[in-house]
Amino acid sequence: MRIARTPRSPVLPILVVVVVLAGLLSGCGVAADDRAAVVLGTPVPTGVVDELAADEAFLQAVGGGLPGTESVVPGDSARAALTFEIQRTAAQTELGRWEPELAGRSPQELAQALGFDEARALVESQVPPGLSDTALGELTAFVAFTTRLGERLQSLGGQGGTVAEEDLRLLYDGAPGLWDRTCVAVLAVAEERVVTVSERVVAGGRLEDVVGEVEGAELVFDPAEECVPTAQLPDGLRDEVRGAVPGATLGPVVLESERTGPIAVFFRVEGTERVAFGDPAARRQLEGLVGQFASAQAPSQAAGLWLSLLLAGGVEVNPRYGRAAVGVSGAFEVVAPDAPEVLVTGAPLPLPQVQPVPEDVPPGAAPGGAAPDGAGPATPGP
């Protein structure tokens, strides 16, 4: 349930991610069998993904699984290849939005303008031997697109640090998921503390007060300070938040994480808000993004930060390859289609910690993640 609310000046918890070859980005279902995903409106053919998933050298380069056969592709390999193609397609599509003048160039002129020769040399110097022509071409394009996109983003402030109005608008329009926000209190706690927190909540305790009463409890999001982009909440929590009655304290929701193990989360929704382009809070946030782009150590880092934000709601994944998931750290990933769903009971529920990154923290590294041949798609394994 959504209710109207007077907008605050929310602080966006920016997820700082470097685009690496094994980055993790995803979305939700695509029905067409010949599309492994649709990225910002651009389809990713299954033939490309399956060909990459059968290339052992490519999988070594992106940190994927074992290569498949013509008929069966291991699930982890297919998801690694699809993750890569999602990123490459997103970088190409977004570069076309930022530099529309590139569309009128011939393939030769485009390759020269984007430095394909240099990108290819870099790929060849770093990947294992035996890379197929298709994989080499896709990796080369990925490096060229992300480098050029990152350079464009890093130049937004210009010499004087003033950002053009049209560039701010391009940023705002590029990631619509950043501006639909939920004002929610979220408390994270270890599983062994769930009963204690539940007792405090049942007795009428506010989550903000429980933090000081229960050892290890942490107020991950405080609606008095920030409203959170709804699309960036972990899957299980996001679904429950969207259906919650405002003012009610619910939980625990339990989310599993290989890195942190199960974590319990209690939450209370206060309302929702849409931050308009003309809102001073939006301008401050956009200018903060520009500052983060400028402070990135390399263009690929700036591109990685931006792609991690705009792909929050910009990708659909064919369920045959997997499903969309937002990890407990805020990173997006394609996970196995048979992954168990989070179950929510009528009592308070647990979930993994979601830690916002302050706006003034510079981008840092985070572990992530070919023309179709016309052949029918292979079947990803479990």
Side-chain angles (χ1 to χ4, degrees):
M1 176 178 180
R2 296 177 179 269
I3 64 174
R5 184 178 181 280
T6 301
R8 306 181 193 275
S9 296
V11 178
L12 174 64
I14 295 296
L15 172 63
V16 182
V17 177
V18 177
V19 173
V20 291
L21 298 186
L24 297 174
L25 298 169
S26 71
C28 53
V30 175
D33 288 340
D34 62 346
R35 295 180 298 168
V38 176
V39 182
L40 303 176
T42 301
V44 176
T46 56
V48 178
V49 175
D50 295 340
E51 185 174 351
L52 293 177
D55 189 317
E56 184 174 3
F58 170 81
L59 292 174
Q60 290 178 3
V62 302
L66 297 174
T69 66
E70 292 184 358
S71 58
V72 177
V73 176
D76 56 350
S77 300
R79 287 185 287 275
L82 178 55
T83 288
F84 168 81
E85 273 300 295
I86 285 172
Q87 292 185 72
R88 188 206 60 75
T89 303
Q92 180 179 3
T93 302
E94 189 64 3
L95 180 59
R97 193 173 70 91
W98 282 94
E99 298 193 15
E101 66 275 10
L102 293 175
R105 303 193 181 188
S106 69
Q108 294 78 12
E109 291 173 334
L110 186 61
Q112 183 176 3
L114 297 181
F116 268 55
D117 288 343
E118 293 84 352
R120 181 187 180 101
L122 178 62
V123 171
E124 290 179 325
S125 70
Q126 295 185 0
V127 301
L131 199 67
S132 68
D133 290 343
T134 295
L136 177 59
E138 295 297 275
L139 286 165
T140 296
F142 173 84
V143 171
F145 293 144
T146 54
T147 299
R148 181 60 170 262
L149 176 61
E151 290 172 347
R152 176 70 173 89
L153 294 172
Q154 289 189 308
S155 71
L156 292 180
Q159 295 297 325
T162 301
V163 188
E165 192 74 9
E166 56 268 28
D167 285 339
L168 288 176
R169 188 78 213 198
L170 279 171
L171 282 175
Y172 180 89
D173 292 342
L178 298 182
W179 315 114
D180 286 320
R181 299 179 177 180
T182 300
C183 303
V184 57
V186 177
L187 180 142
V189 67
E191 278 194 305
E192 58 268 23
R193 306 290 183 186
V194 165
V195 173
T196 302
V197 174
S198 297
E199 290 173 349
R200 300 288 200 284
V201 170
V202 170
R206 299 180 76 246
L207 295 179
E208 292 85 343
D209 299 328
V210 171
V211 171
E213 300 172 353
V214 178
E215 181 182 356
E218 181 177 357
L219 193 64
V220 178
F221 292 124
D222 184 349
E225 297 182 359
E226 61 185 7
C227 296
V228 186
T230 310
Q232 292 187 346
L233 291 170
D235 285 1
L237 177 60
R238 183 177 65 243
D239 294 342
E240 296 306 317
V241 163
R242 283 175 170 165
V245 175
T249 299
L250 303 174
V253 176
V254 179
L255 300 186
E256 296 288 340
S257 169
E258 293 182 359
R259 183 164 50 187
T260 64
I263 298 179
V265 169
F266 296 78
F267 67 94
R268 184 191 69 251
V269 174
E270 288 195 357
T272 61
E273 62 184 28
R274 171 73 182 178
V275 183
F277 176 68
D279 192 313
R283 181 169 292 270
R284 288 194 298 271
Q285 188 60 62
L286 293 170
E287 291 174 347
L289 272 175
V290 172
Q292 291 200 17
F293 296 150
S295 65
Q297 297 179 359
S300 61
Q301 287 185 324
L305 168 61
W306 180 235
L307 293 180
S308 72
L309 296 175
L310 65 88
L311 282 173
V315 181
E316 299 176 73
V317 174
N318 187 324
R320 185 158 51 85
Y321 287 85
R323 66 177 180 87
V326 180
V328 298
S329 66
F332 296 88
E333 55 186 327
V334 178
V335 299
D338 59 349
E341 297 291 337
V342 176
L343 299 179
V344 180
T345 68
L349 312 163
L351 138 121
Q353 177 176 348
V354 185
Q355 181 60 52
V357 179
E359 290 184 349
D360 57 353
V361 175
D373 56 12
T379 302

